[in-house]
Amino acid sequence: MIDTGNLLKDPITNSPVIIIEKNKLSNILPKEILENSEKIINGKYEFSDENLKYESKFRVLPFSSLGKQNGMLLGFKVDKIEAEINDEEIIREDAIVGIYDKKLSSRNQYEGLIGLNYVEKSC
């Protein structure tokens, strides 16, 4: 879903952040990493040799929302994201995926939030 309130960007690279429910990322990231997102955020997770290749892709993303001030979200740099919005295919190679631990929609209408800064060509 396009979320006009999602203006979240990686503070280091200024890349847009797409928020996706954790359970939808099981085919992209190892289960061990998904289960330890809080430890990764807090710097208390040691990557195994098998998962070491993912370490440099993670970011800690500060955010504020109506329900949470000064929150932290675990994000990871993806190689490429393709999305179809209003019959237009948008491909970004600079996006970050924010891992959300809960459900975004109580009625399961969507599993991710794309901000306007993802859609705009000049972020």
Side-chain angles (χ1 to χ4, degrees):
M1 178 173 105
I2 295 178
D3 179 9
T4 57
N6 176 7
L7 302 174
L8 190 59
K9 290 186 178 188
D10 175 9
I12 296 172
T13 64
N14 210 33
S15 298
V17 176
I18 297 170
I19 300 169
I20 299 180
E21 293 176 0
K22 179 172 29 178
N23 64 345
K24 297 298 175 187
L25 298 170
S26 61
N27 61 337
I28 297 171
L29 292 172
K31 181 179 179 181
E32 179 186 349
I33 289 176
L34 290 172
E35 290 176 349
N36 288 288
S37 58
E38 279 298 315
K39 286 183 179 180
I40 295 170
I41 288 172
N42 294 319
K44 296 181 179 179
Y45 178 77
E46 288 199 34
F47 286 85
S48 64
D49 290 341
E50 179 181 314
N51 293 330
L52 199 55
K53 63 185 174 188
Y54 295 100
E55 185 177 24
S56 66
K57 295 201 175 262
F58 283 100
R59 312 282 194 272
V60 176
L61 308 166
F63 74 93
S64 292
S65 67
L66 290 175
K68 182 153 188 152
Q69 295 294 317
N70 303 318
M72 297 298 231
L73 183 68
L74 182 64
F76 69 97
K77 171 85 172 84
V78 293
D79 296 329
K80 176 173 66 170
I81 290 187
E82 298 178 24
E84 188 174 311
I85 300 171
N86 297 327
D87 296 325
E88 178 185 352
E89 185 176 45
I90 298 173
I91 300 171
R92 298 286 304 248
E93 294 181 357
D94 65 337
I96 305 290
V97 170
I99 303 170
Y100 189 67
D101 284 341
K102 299 178 182 121
K103 292 292 233 177
L104 290 167
S105 168
S106 61
R107 296 185 202 150
N108 296 320
Q109 295 170 305
Y110 50 89
E111 293 100 13
L113 297 174
I114 296 175
L116 289 178
N117 56 358
Y118 175 86
V119 178
E120 295 170 347
K121 301 273 189 226
S122 57
C123 287

